[in-house]
Amino acid sequence: MDPEDAYRRVLSSIEEHHRWFDSSLPMIASENVASPAVRRAMTSDFGHRYAEGWVGERVYAGTKYIDYVESLAMELIKKLYGVKFADVRPISGVVANLSVYTALTQPGDVVMALPITKGGHISMGPLKGSKGQFIGGTAGAVRGLDVKYIAFDDENMNIDVDRTINRMEKYKPKLIMMGGSVILFPQPVKELVEAAKSIGAAVNYDAAHVAGLIAGGKFQRPLEEGADVMTFSTHKTFFGPQHGAVITNDEEKFELIKLANFPGLLSNHHLHAVAALAIAAAELLAFGKEYAEAVVKNAKALAQALHDEGFKVVAEHLGFTESHQVLLDVDDLGGGYKCEKLLEEANIIVNRNLLPWDIKRGRGFKDPGGLRLGVSELTRLGMGPDEMREVAKFYREVLIDGKDPKEVAREVSELRKDFKTVKYTFEEGPAYEY
Ligand SMILES: Cc1ncc(COP(=O)(O)O)c(C=O)c1O
């Protein structure tokens, strides 16, 4: 391969990707688009530097501006969530969870979390499944934890409190991991915290998905409801760089988490992303309330519109959703794999997802029965309920009417013409410019 040719192909592929997303509907629930200022920070010289350790206790020189920005990032995060302690060094949500496992458990301890089939994340998963099959989740494979499952009520799309408490009493976990990747409704934090206290277990709420909604006051505040620690990614509803963070009010646990992060898990903690995170946190402090309200309103509007267009939207009896996510059951429409691919041809980007009842009906993760839709990015581009109804119509055209996806792609691109700018920031600018 000619190196210069490869070099040019990489650059042109990035450009093409930008052009594609500039005329598409990016609806992956775990994604968002960052502001021009966040993107500028991501390309700054901070990304060439090291600042091992804690502000004021660095083992590198040349960090005075980096230290100032990292201190600001911690202050902004503490203010955003009303907490005493924040570590902004984890380089992702998975690393944030790993820092909690490292700090609060020992290999062999029991941790409880939702199974991946019911909204749990791979970072909370076991090494092996109940039939001995390899799963390789972070909790089991990396920290050597014995993962037992939180019980789930499929009908109510939420944790089954009584069954979970019974299991807690039986398995005596050291740590309960709440939160998840499929999260339509607030979870029963208070109830599980009470039970956890009685057996000496700690509770971490993984807010990877909902951190931006929590910041904007539109989702439960887990620490105020009694959870010990909250981990999160900073690039899903929290519209910052790909990074992570941990917050708590518990000083003893915080000291352990700090040590887990350095020298345990991190040498370089992606300083450009810390700067970008500080910018996004400032944006959320200023615009988060308005943004989070718009996100939840859009999710509800999209769910209702999809229902009206003839889709099976999960949790109709509960008002569909209280988060940024909408879940569709597309078993009757050929399954998640086929639907995801058809929508992609129409420039509608979503991901297929397991539904809680999929395993029972013989579906697996390669071709699950669900689609998980997210509206955070469309909201950040300034779309509202009227556009959600348009979007639902595109889904119907592709998946129910069998219209040529290429034709729908043209309609999508037409709709996107009026939504090219990142909102909810101090200096609005083009969303996908490169
Ligand atoms: C609940 C949950 N935790 C952790 C993560 C991992 O986050 P990251 O990609 O930042 O490591 C995800 C990612 O989607 C998630 O859904």
Side-chain angles (χ1 to χ4, degrees), residues 378-395:
L378 300 187
T379 307
R380 192 122 207 245
L381 295 170
M383 291 193 188
D386 287 348
E387 287 72 38
M388 294 304 112
R389 284 184 277 277
E390 282 283 290
V391 170
K393 193 190 80 189
F394 298 149
Y395 276 72

Side-chain angles (χ1 to χ4, degrees), residues 30 92-94 97 121 123-124 180-181 206 208-209 233 235-236 243:
S30 52
S92 70
V94 169
N97 283 347
H121 184 253
S123 60
M124 310 168 183
S181 300
D206 178 345
H209 265 267
S233 307
H235 48 269
K236 304 184 198 286
H243 199 74

Side-chain angles (χ1 to χ4, degrees), residues 174-337:
K174 278 273 159 38
L175 176 66
I176 315 288
M177 291 292 287
M178 300 190 70
S181 300
V182 175
I183 181 158
L184 297 174
F185 304 106
Q187 294 180 341
V189 174
K190 276 190 199 134
E191 292 84 340
L192 293 202
V193 163
E194 214 170 284
K197 282 218 171 85
S198 72
I199 55 163
V203 175
N204 177 68
Y205 188 101
D206 178 345
H209 265 267
V210 289
L213 303 182
I214 296 172
K218 278 303 281 182
F219 211 74
Q220 68 189 142
R221 292 177 87 81
L223 297 186
E224 286 169 25
E225 292 180 25
D228 298 285
V229 188
M230 183 174 115
T231 47
F232 54 105
S233 307
T234 58
H235 48 269
K236 304 184 198 286
T237 54
F238 190 117
F239 46 45
Q242 290 191 330
H243 199 74
V246 188
I247 57 175
T248 179
N249 286 312
D250 184 323
E251 189 164 11
E252 216 175 293
K253 289 188 174 61
F254 188 62
E255 287 307 316
L256 295 171
I257 288 165
K258 274 170 67 179
L259 285 173
N261 280 319
F262 181 83
L265 295 166
L266 302 160
S267 170
N268 135 44
H269 54 277
H270 298 187
L271 307 166
H272 51 313
V274 172
L277 159 57
I279 293 170
E283 292 171 335
L284 277 169
L285 263 177
F287 307 99
K289 185 169 180 294
E290 203 190 329
Y291 156 76
E293 276 171 10
V295 168
V296 176
K297 196 170 171 191
N298 277 344
K300 285 174 179 288
L302 178 66
Q304 184 62 54
L306 286 163
H307 172 77
D308 296 345
E309 295 287 359
F311 285 95
K312 264 193 205 163
V313 187
V314 172
E316 182 192 351
H317 65 297
L318 300 167
F320 304 114
T321 183
E322 291 296 332
S323 75
H324 60 303
Q325 297 182 359
V326 175
L327 265 192
L328 291 186
D329 188 335
V330 291
D331 187 48
D332 298 345
L333 297 168
Y337 183 81

Side-chain angles (χ1 to χ4, degrees), residues 19-56:
R19 271 198 295 277
W20 185 25
F21 272 67
D22 197 35
S23 57
S24 301
L25 294 173
M27 297 183 69
I28 303 266
S30 52
E31 296 178 354
N32 212 321
V33 61
S35 67
V38 163
R39 284 167 51 201
R40 257 197 325 274
M42 289 300 277
T43 56
S44 70
D45 183 67
F46 279 29
H48 302 130
R49 306 298 153 204
Y50 268 91
E52 275 182 357
W54 193 252
V55 175

Side-chain angles (χ1 to χ4, degrees), residues 29 45 72 115 118 198 212 305 341 383 398 432:
D45 183 67
L72 268 179
K118 314 248 175 190
S198 72
K341 295 297 165 231
M383 291 193 188
V398 177
Y432 305 96

